[in-house]
Coordinates of all heavy atoms in Angstrom, one line a residue:
V770 N 0.9 -1.2 0.0 CA 0.0 0.0 0.0 C 0.9 1.2 0.0 O 1.8 1.4 0.8 CB -0.9 0.0 1.2 CG1 -1.8 1.2 1.3 CG2 -1.8 -1.2 1.3
S771 N 0.7 2.1 -0.9 CA 1.5 3.3 -1.0 C 1.1 4.4 0.0 O -0.1 4.4 0.5 CB 1.4 3.9 -2.4 OG 0.2 4.5 -2.6
E772 N 2.0 5.2 0.3 CA 1.7 6.3 1.3 C 0.5 7.2 0.8 O -0.3 7.6 1.5 CB 2.9 7.2 1.5 CG 2.8 8.3 2.5 CD 4.0 9.1 2.7 OE1 5.1 8.6 2.5 OE2 3.9 10.2 3.1
G773 N 0.5 7.5 -0.5 CA -0.5 8.3 -1.1 C -1.9 7.7 -0.9 O -2.9 8.3 -0.7
T774 N -1.9 6.3 -1.1 CA -3.2 5.6 -0.9 C -3.7 5.7 0.5 O -4.9 5.9 0.7 CB -3.0 4.1 -1.4 OG1 -2.6 4.1 -2.7 CG2 -4.3 3.3 -1.2
V775 N -2.8 5.5 1.5 CA -3.2 5.6 2.9 C -3.7 7.0 3.2 O -4.8 7.1 3.8 CB -2.0 5.2 3.8 CG1 -2.3 5.5 5.3 CG2 -1.6 3.8 3.6
Q776 N -3.1 8.0 2.8 CA -3.5 9.4 3.0 C -4.9 9.6 2.4 O -5.7 10.2 3.0 CB -2.5 10.4 2.5 CG -1.2 10.4 3.3 CD -0.1 11.1 2.5 OE1 1.0 10.7 2.7 NE2 -0.4 12.2 1.8
T777 N -5.1 9.1 1.2 CA -6.3 9.2 0.5 C -7.5 8.6 1.3 O -8.5 9.1 1.4 CB -6.2 8.7 -0.9 OG1 -5.2 9.4 -1.6 CG2 -7.6 8.8 -1.7
V778 N -7.3 7.4 1.7 CA -8.3 6.6 2.5 C -8.6 7.4 3.8 O -9.8 7.5 4.1 CB -7.9 5.2 2.7 CG1 -8.8 4.5 3.7 CG2 -7.8 4.4 1.4
L779 N -7.6 7.8 4.5 CA -7.8 8.6 5.7 C -8.6 9.9 5.4 O -9.5 10.2 6.2 CB -6.5 8.9 6.4 CG -5.7 7.7 7.0 CD1 -4.4 8.1 7.4 CD2 -6.5 7.1 8.1
F780 N -8.2 10.6 4.4 CA -9.0 11.8 4.0 C -10.4 11.5 3.7 O -11.3 12.2 4.2 CB -8.3 12.4 2.7 CG -9.0 13.6 2.1 CD1 -9.1 14.8 2.7 CD2 -9.6 13.4 0.8 CE1 -9.8 15.8 2.1 CE2 -10.2 14.4 0.2 CZ -10.4 15.7 0.9
L781 N -10.7 10.5 2.9 CA -12.1 10.2 2.5 C -12.9 9.7 3.8 O -14.0 10.0 3.9 CB -12.1 9.1 1.5 CG -11.5 9.5 0.1 CD1 -11.4 8.3 -0.8 CD2 -12.3 10.6 -0.5
T782 N -12.2 9.1 4.7 CA -12.9 8.7 6.0 C -13.2 9.9 6.8 O -14.3 10.0 7.3 CB -11.9 7.7 6.8 OG1 -11.7 6.6 6.0 CG2 -12.6 7.3 8.1
D783 N -12.3 10.9 6.9 CA -12.5 12.1 7.6 C -13.7 12.9 6.9 O -14.5 13.6 7.6 CB -11.3 13.0 7.7 CG -10.3 12.5 8.8 OD1 -10.7 11.6 9.6 OD2 -9.2 13.0 8.8
L784 N -13.7 12.9 5.6 CA -14.8 13.6 4.9 C -16.2 13.0 5.2 O -17.2 13.7 5.4 CB -14.6 13.5 3.4 CG -13.6 14.5 2.8 CD1 -13.7 14.5 1.3 CD2 -13.7 15.9 3.4
E785 N -16.2 11.7 5.4 CA -17.5 11.0 5.8 C -18.0 11.6 7.1 O -19.2 11.9 7.3 CB -17.4 9.5 5.9 CG -17.2 8.9 4.5 CD -18.4 9.2 3.6 OE1 -19.6 9.1 4.0 OE2 -18.2 9.5 2.4
E786 N -17.0 11.8 8.1 CA -17.4 12.4 9.4 C -17.8 13.8 9.2 O -18.8 14.2 9.8 CB -16.2 12.3 10.3 CG -16.4 12.8 11.7 CD -15.2 12.8 12.6 OE1 -14.1 12.3 12.2 OE2 -15.3 13.3 13.7
Y787 N -17.2 14.5 8.3 CA -17.5 15.9 8.0 C -19.0 16.0 7.6 O -19.7 16.9 8.0 CB -16.6 16.5 6.9 CG -17.0 17.8 6.4 CD1 -16.7 19.0 7.1 CD2 -17.5 18.0 5.1 CE1 -17.0 20.3 6.6 CE2 -17.8 19.2 4.6 CZ -17.6 20.4 5.3 OH -17.9 21.6 4.8
F788 N -19.5 15.1 6.8 CA -20.8 15.2 6.2 C -21.9 14.7 7.3 O -23.1 15.0 7.1 CB -21.0 14.3 5.0 CG -20.3 14.9 3.8 CD1 -19.2 14.2 3.2 CD2 -20.6 16.1 3.3 CE1 -18.6 14.7 2.1 CE2 -20.0 16.7 2.2 CZ -18.9 16.0 1.6
R789 N -21.4 14.1 8.4 CA -22.4 13.6 9.4 C -22.4 14.4 10.7 O -23.2 14.1 11.6 CB -21.9 12.2 9.8 CG -22.1 11.2 8.6 CD -21.8 9.8 9.1 NE -22.0 8.9 7.9 CZ -21.3 7.8 7.7 NH1 -20.4 7.5 8.6 NH2 -21.6 7.1 6.7
V790 N -21.7 15.5 10.8 CA -21.7 16.3 12.0 C -23.0 17.0 12.2 O -23.7 17.3 11.2 CB -20.5 17.3 12.0 CG1 -19.2 16.6 12.1 CG2 -20.6 18.3 10.9
P791 N -23.4 17.1 13.5 CA -24.8 17.6 13.8 C -25.0 19.1 13.7 O -26.2 19.5 13.6 CB -25.0 17.1 15.2 CG -23.6 17.1 15.8 CD -22.7 16.7 14.7
S792 N -24.0 19.9 13.6 CA -24.2 21.4 13.6 C -23.1 22.1 12.8 O -22.0 21.5 12.5 CB -24.3 21.9 15.0 OG -22.9 22.0 15.5
I793 N -23.4 23.3 12.4 CA -22.5 24.1 11.6 C -21.2 24.4 12.4 O -20.1 24.4 11.8 CB -23.1 25.4 11.1 CG1 -22.2 26.1 10.1 CG2 -23.4 26.4 12.3 CD1 -22.3 25.5 8.8
G794 N -21.3 24.5 13.7 CA -20.1 24.7 14.5 C -19.1 23.5 14.5 O -17.9 23.7 14.3
F795 N -19.7 22.3 14.6 CA -18.9 21.1 14.5 C -18.3 21.0 13.1 O -17.2 20.6 12.9 CB -19.7 19.9 14.9 CG -19.9 19.7 16.3 CD1 -21.2 19.6 16.8 CD2 -18.9 19.7 17.2 CE1 -21.5 19.4 18.1 CE2 -19.1 19.5 18.6 CZ -20.4 19.4 19.0
M796 N -19.1 21.3 12.1 CA -18.7 21.2 10.7 C -17.5 22.2 10.4 O -16.6 21.8 9.8 CB -19.9 21.6 9.8 CG -19.6 21.3 8.3 SD -21.0 21.6 7.3 CE -21.7 20.0 7.2
L797 N -17.6 23.4 10.9 CA -16.5 24.3 10.8 C -15.2 23.8 11.4 O -14.1 23.9 10.8 CB -16.9 25.7 11.3 CG -15.8 26.8 11.3 CD1 -15.3 27.0 9.8 CD2 -16.3 28.1 11.9
A798 N -15.3 23.3 12.6 CA -14.2 22.8 13.3 C -13.5 21.6 12.6 O -12.3 21.5 12.4 CB -14.5 22.3 14.7
L799 N -14.4 20.7 12.1 CA -13.9 19.6 11.3 C -13.3 20.0 10.0 O -12.3 19.4 9.5 CB -15.0 18.5 11.2 CG -14.6 17.2 10.7 CD1 -13.4 16.6 11.5 CD2 -15.8 16.2 10.7
A800 N -13.9 20.9 9.3 CA -13.4 21.4 8.0 C -12.0 22.0 8.2 O -11.1 21.7 7.4 CB -14.3 22.5 7.5
K801 N -11.8 22.7 9.3 CA -10.5 23.3 9.6 C -9.5 22.2 9.9 O -8.3 22.2 9.5 CB -10.5 24.3 10.7 CG -11.2 25.6 10.3 CD -11.3 26.5 11.5 CE -11.9 27.8 11.1 NZ -12.0 28.8 12.2
K802 N -9.9 21.1 10.6 CA -9.1 20.0 10.9 C -8.6 19.3 9.6 O -7.5 19.0 9.4 CB -9.8 19.0 11.9 CG -9.0 17.8 12.2 CD -9.9 16.8 13.0 CE -9.2 15.4 13.0 NZ -10.1 14.5 13.6
V803 N -9.6 19.0 8.8 CA -9.3 18.3 7.5 C -8.4 19.2 6.6 O -7.4 18.7 6.1 CB -10.6 18.0 6.7 CG1 -10.3 17.6 5.3 CG2 -11.4 17.0 7.5
Y804 N -8.6 20.5 6.6 CA -7.8 21.4 5.8 C -6.3 21.4 6.3 O -5.4 21.2 5.6 CB -8.3 22.8 5.9 CG -7.4 23.8 5.2 CD1 -7.5 23.9 3.8 CD2 -6.6 24.6 5.9 CE1 -6.7 24.8 3.1 CE2 -5.7 25.5 5.2 CZ -5.8 25.6 3.8 OH -5.0 26.5 3.2
N805 N -6.2 21.5 7.7 CA -4.8 21.5 8.2 C -4.1 20.2 8.1 O -2.9 20.1 8.0 CB -4.9 22.0 9.7 CG -5.3 23.4 9.9 OD1 -4.9 24.2 9.0 ND2 -6.0 23.7 10.9
K806 N -4.9 19.1 8.2 CA -4.3 17.8 8.2 C -3.9 17.3 6.8 O -2.8 16.7 6.6 CB -5.3 16.8 8.8 CG -4.8 15.4 9.0 CD -5.8 14.6 9.7 CE -5.5 13.2 10.0 NZ -6.5 12.5 10.7
Y807 N -4.6 17.7 5.7 CA -4.4 17.2 4.4 C -4.2 18.2 3.3 O -3.6 17.9 2.3 CB -5.6 16.4 3.9 CG -6.0 15.2 4.9 CD1 -7.1 15.3 5.7 CD2 -5.3 14.0 4.8 CE1 -7.4 14.3 6.6 CE2 -5.6 13.0 5.7 CZ -6.7 13.1 6.5 OH -7.0 12.1 7.4
I808 N -4.6 19.4 3.4 CA -4.6 20.4 2.3 C -3.7 21.5 2.5 O -3.1 22.0 1.5 CB -6.1 20.8 2.1 CG1 -6.9 19.6 1.7 CG2 -6.2 21.9 1.0 CD1 -8.4 19.8 1.8
H809 N -3.5 22.0 3.7 CA -2.6 23.1 4.0 C -1.2 22.9 3.4 O -0.8 21.7 3.3 CB -2.5 23.4 5.5 CG -1.8 24.6 5.9 ND1 -0.5 24.7 6.0 CD2 -2.3 25.9 6.1 CE1 -0.1 25.9 6.4 NE2 -1.2 26.6 6.4
A810 N -0.5 23.9 3.0 CA 0.9 23.7 2.5 C 1.8 23.0 3.4 O 2.7 22.3 2.9 CB 1.5 25.1 2.2
H811 N 1.6 23.0 4.7 CA 2.4 22.3 5.7 C 1.7 21.2 6.4 O 1.9 20.9 7.5 CB 3.0 23.3 6.7 CG 3.8 24.4 6.1 ND1 5.0 24.2 5.5 CD2 3.5 25.7 5.9 CE1 5.5 25.3 5.0 NE2 4.6 26.3 5.2
A812 N 0.7 20.6 5.7 CA -0.1 19.5 6.2 C 0.8 18.3 6.6 O 1.8 18.0 6.0 CB -1.1 19.1 5.2
I813 N 0.3 17.7 7.7 CA 1.1 16.5 8.1 C 0.9 15.3 7.2 O 1.8 14.5 7.0 CB 0.6 16.1 9.6 CG1 1.6 15.1 10.2 CG2 -0.8 15.6 9.6 CD1 1.4 14.9 11.6
L814 N -0.3 15.2 6.5 CA -0.5 14.1 5.5 C -1.0 14.8 4.2 O -2.1 14.7 3.8 CB -1.6 13.2 6.1 CG -1.3 12.4 7.3 CD1 -2.6 11.7 7.8 CD2 -0.2 11.4 7.1
P815 N -0.1 15.5 3.5 CA -0.5 16.2 2.3 C -1.0 15.4 1.2 O -0.5 14.3 1.0 CB 0.8 16.9 1.9 CG 1.9 16.1 2.5 CD 1.4 15.5 3.8
L816 N -2.0 15.8 0.6 CA -2.6 15.2 -0.6 C -2.1 15.8 -1.9 O -1.7 16.9 -1.9 CB -4.1 15.3 -0.6 CG -4.8 14.6 0.6 CD1 -6.3 15.1 0.6 CD2 -4.7 13.1 0.5
P817 N -2.0 15.0 -2.9 CA -1.6 15.5 -4.2 C -2.7 16.2 -4.9 O -3.4 15.7 -5.7 CB -1.2 14.2 -5.0 CG -2.1 13.2 -4.4 CD -2.3 13.5 -3.0
L818 N -2.8 17.5 -4.6 CA -3.9 18.4 -5.1 C -3.3 19.5 -5.9 O -2.2 20.0 -5.6 CB -4.8 18.9 -4.0 CG -5.5 17.9 -3.1 CD1 -6.1 18.7 -1.9 CD2 -6.5 17.2 -3.8
R819 N -4.1 20.0 -6.9 CA -3.7 21.2 -7.6 C -3.8 22.4 -6.7 O -4.5 22.4 -5.8 CB -4.7 21.4 -8.8 CG -4.6 20.3 -9.8 CD -5.6 20.5 -10.9 NE -6.9 21.0 -10.4 CZ -8.0 21.2 -11.0 NH1 -8.0 21.1 -12.3 NH2 -9.1 21.5 -10.4
M820 N -2.9 23.3 -7.0 CA -2.8 24.5 -6.2 C -4.2 25.3 -6.2 O -4.6 25.8 -5.2 CB -1.7 25.4 -6.6 CG -1.5 26.7 -5.8 SD -1.3 26.3 -4.0 CE 0.4 26.0 -4.0
S821 N -4.8 25.3 -7.4 CA -6.1 25.9 -7.5 C -7.2 25.3 -6.6 O -8.0 26.0 -6.0 CB -6.6 25.9 -8.9 OG -6.8 24.6 -9.4
T822 N -7.1 24.0 -6.4 CA -8.0 23.3 -5.5 C -7.8 23.7 -4.1 O -8.7 24.0 -3.3 CB -7.9 21.8 -5.7 OG1 -8.2 21.4 -7.0 CG2 -8.9 21.0 -4.7
R823 N -6.5 23.8 -3.7 CA -6.1 24.2 -2.3 C -6.6 25.6 -2.1 O -7.1 25.9 -1.0 CB -4.6 24.1 -2.1 CG -4.1 22.7 -2.2 CD -2.5 22.7 -2.1 NE -2.0 21.4 -2.4 CZ -1.9 20.4 -1.5 NH1 -2.3 20.6 -0.3 NH2 -1.4 19.3 -1.9
S824 N -6.4 26.5 -3.0 CA -6.8 27.9 -2.9 C -8.3 28.0 -2.8 O -8.8 28.8 -2.0 CB -6.3 28.7 -4.1 OG -4.9 28.7 -4.1
E825 N -9.0 27.3 -3.6 CA -10.5 27.4 -3.5 C -11.0 26.9 -2.2 O -11.9 27.5 -1.6 CB -11.1 26.5 -4.7 CG -12.5 26.6 -4.8 CD -13.0 27.9 -5.4 OE1 -12.2 28.7 -6.0 OE2 -14.2 28.2 -5.2
I826 N -10.5 25.8 -1.6 CA -10.9 25.3 -0.3 C -10.6 26.4 0.7 O -11.4 26.7 1.6 CB -10.3 24.0 0.0 CG1 -10.8 22.9 -1.0 CG2 -10.5 23.6 1.4 CD1 -10.1 21.6 -0.9
H827 N -9.4 26.9 0.7 CA -9.0 27.9 1.7 C -9.9 29.2 1.6 O -10.3 29.7 2.7 CB -7.6 28.4 1.5 CG -7.1 29.3 2.5 ND1 -7.1 30.7 2.3 CD2 -6.6 29.1 3.8 CE1 -6.6 31.3 3.4 NE2 -6.3 30.4 4.3
A828 N -10.3 29.6 0.4 CA -11.1 30.8 0.3 C -12.5 30.6 0.8 O -13.2 31.5 1.3 CB -11.3 31.1 -1.2
H829 N -13.0 29.3 0.9 CA -14.4 29.0 1.4 C -14.4 28.3 2.7 O -15.5 27.9 3.1 CB -15.2 28.2 0.3 CG -15.4 29.0 -1.0 ND1 -14.6 28.9 -2.1 CD2 -16.3 30.0 -1.3 CE1 -15.0 29.7 -3.0 NE2 -16.0 30.4 -2.5
L830 N -13.3 28.2 3.3 CA -13.2 27.4 4.6 C -14.1 27.9 5.7 O -14.8 27.1 6.4 CB -11.8 27.4 5.1 CG -11.4 26.4 6.2 CD1 -11.7 25.0 5.8 CD2 -9.9 26.6 6.5
E831 N -14.3 29.2 5.8 CA -15.1 29.8 6.9 C -16.6 29.6 6.7 O -17.4 29.6 7.6 CB -14.7 31.2 7.1 CG -13.4 31.5 7.7 CD -13.1 30.9 9.1 OE1 -14.1 30.9 9.9 OE2 -12.0 30.4 9.3
S832 N -17.0 29.5 5.4 CA -18.4 29.3 5.1 C -18.9 27.9 5.1 O -20.1 27.6 5.0 CB -18.8 30.0 3.8 OG -18.1 29.4 2.7
V833 N -17.9 27.0 5.1 CA -18.2 25.5 5.2 C -19.3 25.0 4.3 O -20.2 24.3 4.9 CB -18.2 25.0 6.6 CG1 -16.9 25.0 7.3 CG2 -19.3 25.6 7.4
P834 N -19.3 25.2 3.0 CA -20.4 24.6 2.2 C -20.2 23.1 2.2 O -19.1 22.6 2.3 CB -20.2 25.3 0.9 CG -18.7 25.6 0.8 CD -18.4 26.0 2.3
L835 N -21.3 22.4 1.9 CA -21.2 20.9 1.8 C -20.3 20.5 0.6 O -19.7 19.4 0.6 CB -22.6 20.3 1.7 CG -23.4 20.3 2.9 CD1 -24.8 19.7 2.6 CD2 -22.7 19.4 4.0
T836 N -20.1 21.4 -0.3 CA -19.3 21.1 -1.5 C -17.9 21.5 -1.3 O -17.1 21.4 -2.3 CB -19.9 21.8 -2.7 OG1 -19.9 23.3 -2.4 CG2 -21.3 21.4 -3.1
L837 N -17.5 21.9 -0.1 CA -16.1 22.4 0.1 C -15.0 21.5 -0.4 O -14.1 22.0 -1.0 CB -16.0 22.7 1.6 CG -14.6 23.3 2.1 CD1 -14.5 24.7 1.4 CD2 -14.6 23.4 3.6
F838 N -15.1 20.2 -0.1 CA -14.1 19.3 -0.5 C -14.4 18.5 -1.7 O -13.6 17.5 -2.0 CB -13.8 18.4 0.7 CG -13.3 19.1 2.0 CD1 -14.2 19.3 3.1 CD2 -12.0 19.7 2.0 CE1 -13.7 20.0 4.2 CE2 -11.6 20.4 3.1 CZ -12.4 20.5 4.2
D839 N -15.4 18.8 -2.5 CA -15.8 18.0 -3.6 C -14.6 17.8 -4.7 O -14.4 16.7 -5.1 CB -17.0 18.6 -4.3 CG -18.3 18.2 -3.6 OD1 -18.2 17.6 -2.5 OD2 -19.3 18.7 -4.1
Q840 N -14.0 18.9 -5.0 CA -12.9 18.8 -6.0 C -11.7 18.0 -5.5 O -11.2 17.2 -6.2 CB -12.5 20.2 -6.5 CG -11.4 20.2 -7.6 CD -11.9 19.5 -8.8 OE1 -13.1 19.6 -9.2 NE2 -11.0 18.8 -9.5
A841 N -11.4 18.2 -4.2 CA -10.3 17.5 -3.6 C -10.6 16.0 -3.6 O -9.8 15.1 -3.9 CB -10.0 18.0 -2.2
R842 N -11.9 15.7 -3.3 CA -12.3 14.3 -3.3 C -12.2 13.7 -4.7 O -11.7 12.6 -4.9 CB -13.8 14.2 -2.9 CG -14.2 12.7 -2.8 CD -15.7 12.6 -2.6 NE -16.1 13.2 -1.4 CZ -17.3 12.9 -0.8 NH1 -18.1 12.1 -1.3 NH2 -17.6 13.5 0.3
K843 N -12.6 14.4 -5.7 CA -12.4 13.9 -7.1 C -11.0 13.7 -7.5 O -10.6 12.7 -8.1 CB -13.0 14.9 -8.1 CG -14.5 15.0 -8.1 CD -15.0 16.1 -9.0 CE -16.5 16.3 -8.8 NZ -17.0 17.5 -9.6
E844 N -10.1 14.6 -7.1 CA -8.7 14.5 -7.5 C -8.0 13.3 -6.8 O -7.2 12.6 -7.4 CB -8.0 15.8 -7.1 CG -8.3 16.9 -8.1 CD -7.6 18.2 -7.7 OE1 -6.5 18.2 -7.2 OE2 -8.2 19.3 -7.9
V845 N -8.3 13.1 -5.5 CA -7.7 12.0 -4.8 C -8.3 10.7 -5.1 O -7.7 9.6 -4.9 CB -7.6 12.2 -3.3 CG1 -6.7 13.5 -3.0 CG2 -8.9 12.3 -2.6
S846 N -9.6 10.7 -5.5 CA -10.2 9.4 -5.8 C -9.5 8.8 -7.0 O -9.5 7.5 -7.1 CB -11.7 9.6 -6.1 OG -12.4 10.0 -4.9
S847 N -9.0 9.6 -7.9 CA -8.2 9.0 -9.0 C -7.0 8.2 -8.6 O -6.6 7.3 -9.2 CB -7.9 10.1 -10.0 OG -7.0 11.0 -9.5
V848 N -6.4 8.7 -7.4 CA -5.3 7.9 -6.9 C -5.7 6.5 -6.5 O -5.0 5.6 -6.8 CB -4.7 8.7 -5.6 CG1 -3.7 7.8 -4.9 CG2 -4.2 10.0 -6.0
L849 N -6.9 6.4 -5.9 CA -7.4 5.1 -5.5 C -7.7 4.2 -6.7 O -7.4 3.0 -6.7 CB -8.6 5.2 -4.7 CG -8.4 5.6 -3.2 CD1 -9.8 5.6 -2.5 CD2 -7.4 4.7 -2.5
S850 N -8.2 4.8 -7.7 CA -8.6 4.0 -8.9 C -7.4 3.6 -9.7 O -7.4 2.6 -10.4 CB -9.5 4.8 -9.8 OG -8.9 5.9 -10.4
C851 N -6.2 4.3 -9.5 CA -5.0 3.9 -10.2 C -4.1 3.0 -9.3 O -3.0 2.6 -9.8 CB -4.3 5.2 -10.6 SG -5.1 6.1 -11.9
S852 N -4.4 2.9 -8.1 CA -3.6 2.1 -7.2 C -4.1 0.7 -6.9 O -5.3 0.5 -7.0 CB -3.5 2.9 -5.8 OG -2.9 4.1 -6.0
H853 N -3.2 -0.1 -6.5 CA -3.6 -1.4 -6.1 C -3.5 -1.4 -4.5 O -2.4 -1.2 -4.0 CB -2.7 -2.5 -6.7 CG -2.8 -2.6 -8.1 ND1 -3.9 -3.1 -8.8 CD2 -2.0 -2.1 -9.1 CE1 -3.7 -3.0 -10.1 NE2 -2.6 -2.4 -10.3
L854 N -4.6 -1.7 -3.9 CA -4.5 -1.7 -2.4 C -3.8 -2.9 -1.8 O -3.1 -2.8 -0.8 CB -6.0 -1.7 -1.8 CG -6.8 -0.5 -2.1 CD1 -8.2 -0.6 -1.6 CD2 -6.1 0.7 -1.4
F855 N -3.8 -4.0 -2.6 CA -3.0 -5.2 -2.1 C -2.2 -5.7 -3.3 O -2.7 -5.8 -4.4 CB -4.0 -6.3 -1.7 CG -4.9 -5.8 -0.5 CD1 -6.2 -5.4 -0.8 CD2 -4.4 -5.8 0.8 CE1 -7.0 -5.0 0.2 CE2 -5.3 -5.4 1.8 CZ -6.6 -5.0 1.5
S856 N -1.0 -6.1 -3.0 CA -0.2 -6.8 -4.0 C 0.1 -8.2 -3.6 O 0.2 -8.5 -2.4 CB 1.1 -6.0 -4.2 OG 1.8 -5.8 -3.0
Y857 N 0.1 -9.1 -4.5 CA 0.3 -10.5 -4.2 C 1.7 -10.9 -4.5 O 2.3 -10.5 -5.4 CB -0.7 -11.3 -5.0 CG -2.1 -11.0 -4.6 CD1 -2.9 -10.0 -5.4 CD2 -2.7 -11.5 -3.5 CE1 -4.2 -9.7 -5.1 CE2 -4.0 -11.2 -3.2 CZ -4.7 -10.3 -3.9 OH -6.0 -10.0 -3.6

């Protein structure tokens, strides 16, 4: 399993939590957590995203729309479709 695949799976898992939070306050906190963990220039688990995607997410971070991470999800999903989770 490649490092990029692990990061992608963790990111997608965190996004599932983002969509299930009960209030806008929790959603904002989780959006910032996801941004800092995966998208920020100094993220601990950086994702292979276009700079325009990173900028767009940063620009809308405070308004936390449900579509905030849609483009990032599309970009990293291609990593999963091109990767093999298990090698024999």
Side-chain angles (χ1 to χ4, degrees):
V770 179
S771 74
E772 182 179 335
T774 301
V775 171
Q776 289 165 218
T777 299
V778 170
L779 291 172
F780 171 69
L781 294 174
T782 302
D783 282 350
L784 284 189
E785 288 303 314
E786 183 181 356
Y787 172 75
F788 290 116
R789 292 184 180 148
V790 293
S792 73
I793 192 74
F795 286 124
M796 186 176 269
L797 177 58
L799 192 52
K801 288 179 179 181
K802 176 185 167 191
V803 167
Y804 177 80
N805 289 329
K806 189 174 181 180
Y807 303 103
I808 298 167
H809 189 273
H811 302 289
I813 192 166
L814 297 172
L816 295 170
L818 299 173
R819 296 179 313 183
M820 184 54 84
S821 61
T822 300
R823 293 176 192 277
S824 298
E825 185 72 17
I826 292 169
H827 184 263
H829 295 97
L830 192 57
E831 293 296 323
S832 62
V833 292
L835 285 176
T836 58
L837 182 63
F838 298 108
D839 283 359
Q840 184 59 37
R842 182 190 300 199
K843 287 176 190 173
E844 289 179 34
V845 298
S846 291
S847 66
V848 171
L849 284 182
S850 65
C851 295
S852 299
H853 298 284
L854 292 176
F855 301 100
S856 53
Y857 298 96

